[in-house]
Amino acid sequence: MHFRASEVAEAVGGELIGPDVQIDGASIDSRSIRPGQLFVPVVAERDGHDFIPAALESGAAAYFTTQDEPVGGTAIRVPDTALALADLGRAVRSRIPDRVVGVTGSVGKTSTKDLLAGVLGTTYRTAASEKSFNNELGLPITLAGADDDVEAVVLEMGARGIGHIDLLCSIARPTVGVITRVEGVHLELFGDIESVARAKGELVECLPADGIAVLNADHRYVAAMADRTSARVLRYGLSPDADVYASDIVVDDELRASFRLHTPWGSADVRLGARGEHQVPNALAAAAAGGGLGVSVQDIAAGMSSAQLSGLRMELARSSSGVVVLNDAYNANPTSMSAALKSLAALPASRRVAVLGTMAELGADSPEQHLAIALEARDLGVEVVAVAEEAYGDTARHVAGVDDAVSLLSDVGDGDAVLVKGSRVAALERVAQALLD
């Protein structure tokens, strides 16, 4: 989105210092900033102000600063750079038509966001959150990065406490809210699953009366949120009782699901580009939101078929030695871990191995949750290699790190399949890369 620096200063209540340049988008990372963008130095473990010169050298048109003495170029002095970025997001939102979709949930929100972007992109000029840019920094950056003629925006919304999604809604003012599932993740932060549900439900509470709440009918905490909104409710799920549902689900040897899609706007055959049977509910959520915004059922099917998921999510590749590698290493919780194990078990293979890292932020039940996953893997006939996580128990083989895991897998070969999955802190994509190299 293009702005003059003076317009940005006015929108955020800042002071313009230097030439009134044109700005196109924003970034908080001086290493990846593009020419013309606004650099927003975030003050956290490191002070982003230290990287303003590097951002200017890389082509930043202007920057926020809280310092009395700017370092040159065009500066916009503000009391707080993060709050100013949020205000910039609010200003951008005022230029966007009322096709703004917020997507949240304990599991599946990034995949649902990607699928919905594919659906809406068939009909509207669409912008969507990159990767998992789902917090108070990533969301306004997504808005600021939209094209001037954007017609629809899909925004992933994460929550690490009560009130977080309410804050994101104050910036984005969504007209459609999608909630995937409520599960017992991030319990170290929330305490209990009821608090998770309360936080996620803030999305539907903020919707306007003429908006649309897209709710998972198969999950009771989500289905119950219909009572928390004045918006129109569209329910999706695997049961014919839902407004949008799937029948005749078949998963091929590449883990791609095909099914018959049923909606209030008609039916169509769908073959997903995303892998895993667990993507079917995410696709139904995307179909409901897209249909509610006027996308034809034929275009919904086409958009879901061509949609590409963000990286490190159910990526399937084969090594030169014939090992099938299923790289789902972006993140992990008990629900997504179970789904990935079932996908691994569905692959044609003579031997199946899961390289598993820790599942972070599970709270007091973390040991039991890890052990349950290891036992599920055993029941599915999957060998477990646990990387730096003793809680997977005696049925797993344990290694201290990535290099040890790769060494232990030296005997996998043609016809074998390996799943790699763990929370982001484990960075287990390095195992997948080593196997493919």
Side-chain angles (χ1 to χ4, degrees):
M1 195 73 71
H2 290 87
F3 281 87
R4 303 300 301 183
S6 56
E7 293 178 297
V8 173
E10 181 178 1
V12 304
E15 176 189 3
L16 175 62
I17 303 170
D20 188 11
V21 298
Q22 180 170 273
I23 293 170
D24 181 13
S27 175
I28 61 173
D29 190 342
S30 62
R31 298 165 298 181
S32 60
I33 199 162
R34 297 192 302 272
Q37 286 186 317
L38 172 75
F39 177 60
V40 181
V42 177
V43 180
E45 293 180 5
R46 302 183 70 177
D47 188 343
H49 288 83
D50 296 340
F51 303 99
I52 292 174
L56 291 172
E57 187 174 341
S58 296
Y63 57 93
F64 285 153
T65 183
T66 62
Q67 297 176 339
D68 292 335
E69 296 296 333
V71 297
T74 295
I76 299 171
R77 185 184 291 134
V78 295
D80 185 296
T81 57
L83 294 179
L85 177 59
D87 286 337
L88 176 60
R90 294 183 176 96
V92 174
R93 171 61 181 91
S94 67
R95 299 186 176 190
I96 296 173
D98 281 339
R99 297 187 197 93
V100 176
V101 185
V103 180
T104 194
S106 302
V107 181
K109 55 183 175 290
T110 301
S111 296
T112 300
K113 175 261 299 181
D114 292 336
L115 289 163
L116 180 54
V119 167
L120 293 177
T122 65
T123 306
Y124 304 111
R125 289 182 291 276
T126 301
S129 305
E130 294 183 17
K131 303 176 183 177
S132 293
F133 282 15
N134 61 17
N135 62 12
E136 65 275 13
L137 301 175
L139 185 143
I141 284 174
T142 299
L143 289 168
D147 291 338
D148 292 343
D149 60 353
V150 70
E151 297 177 310
V153 179
V154 187
L155 298 168
E156 182 176 332
M157 295 183 172
R160 301 184 69 81
I162 302 296
H164 284 193
I165 288 179
D166 189 58
L167 169 62
L168 298 180
C169 288
S170 76
I171 300 170
R173 302 200 315 276
T175 54
V176 179
V178 179
I179 301 185
T180 59
R181 299 165 66 120
V182 170
E183 303 284 358
V185 300
H186 301 311
L187 292 186
E188 286 186 353
L189 302 170
F190 285 100
D192 54 47
I193 194 169
E194 287 76 17
S195 295
V196 177
R198 188 159 67 251
K200 300 298 184 183
E202 290 170 3
L203 174 55
V204 299
E205 289 178 342
C206 82
L207 295 173
D210 59 352
I212 303 171
V214 178
L215 303 179
N216 190 336
D218 295 333
H219 287 262
R220 64 184 182 94
Y221 285 107
V222 180
M225 293 177 190
D227 295 332
R228 295 173 60 180
T229 184
S230 60
R232 171 192 177 194
V233 174
L234 284 173
R235 296 173 175 84
Y236 70 92
L238 299 179
S239 167
D241 295 334
D243 300 304
V244 176
Y245 68 95
S247 65
D248 306 311
I249 301 171
V250 177
V251 180
D252 65 20
D253 289 348
E254 294 291 313
L255 299 180
R256 298 186 190 277
S258 298
F259 57 91
R260 183 71 174 169
L261 172 67
H262 304 270
T263 80
W265 316 282
S267 300
D269 291 322
V270 175
R271 182 177 185 268
L272 293 181
R275 290 185 172 89
E277 187 171 353
H278 61 284
Q279 296 292 357
V280 173
N282 298 332
L284 296 175
L293 288 173
V295 181
S296 72
V297 70
Q298 292 79 17
D299 285 339
I300 289 171
M304 292 194 296
S305 176
S306 60
Q308 297 296 313
L309 296 193
S310 300
L312 306 183
R313 291 171 173 84
M314 298 298 287
E315 296 177 352
L316 195 66
R318 187 180 297 272
S319 74
S320 58
S321 62
V323 179
V324 174
V325 179
L326 183 58
N327 184 358
D328 198 34
Y330 187 80
N331 216 333
N333 56 60
T335 302
S336 66
M337 191 73 85
S338 177
L341 286 171
K342 290 172 182 173
S343 294
L344 175 65
L347 283 172
S350 54
R351 178 186 175 195
R352 299 175 181 86
V353 182
V355 181
L356 306 182
T358 190
M359 297 183 290
E361 299 177 346
L362 294 184
D365 292 336
S366 179
E368 292 83 359
Q369 299 268 29
H370 282 86
L371 183 58
I373 288 297
L375 295 176
E376 180 178 1
R378 181 197 62 187
D379 293 342
L380 290 169
V382 173
E383 304 171 36
V384 172
V385 175
V387 182
E389 180 51 81
E390 294 297 326
Y392 284 114
D394 296 339
T395 61
R397 290 183 290 172
H398 292 268
V399 296
V402 167
D403 292 341
D404 295 328
V406 174
S407 296
L408 192 61
L409 294 171
S410 61
D411 60 342
V412 297
D414 189 18
D416 297 338
V418 179
L419 165 69
V420 180
K421 188 167 180 64
S423 285
R424 189 84 297 272
V425 293
L428 290 190
E429 65 273 12
R430 295 175 293 166
V431 174
Q433 191 59 58
L435 290 171
L436 295 173
D437 288 344

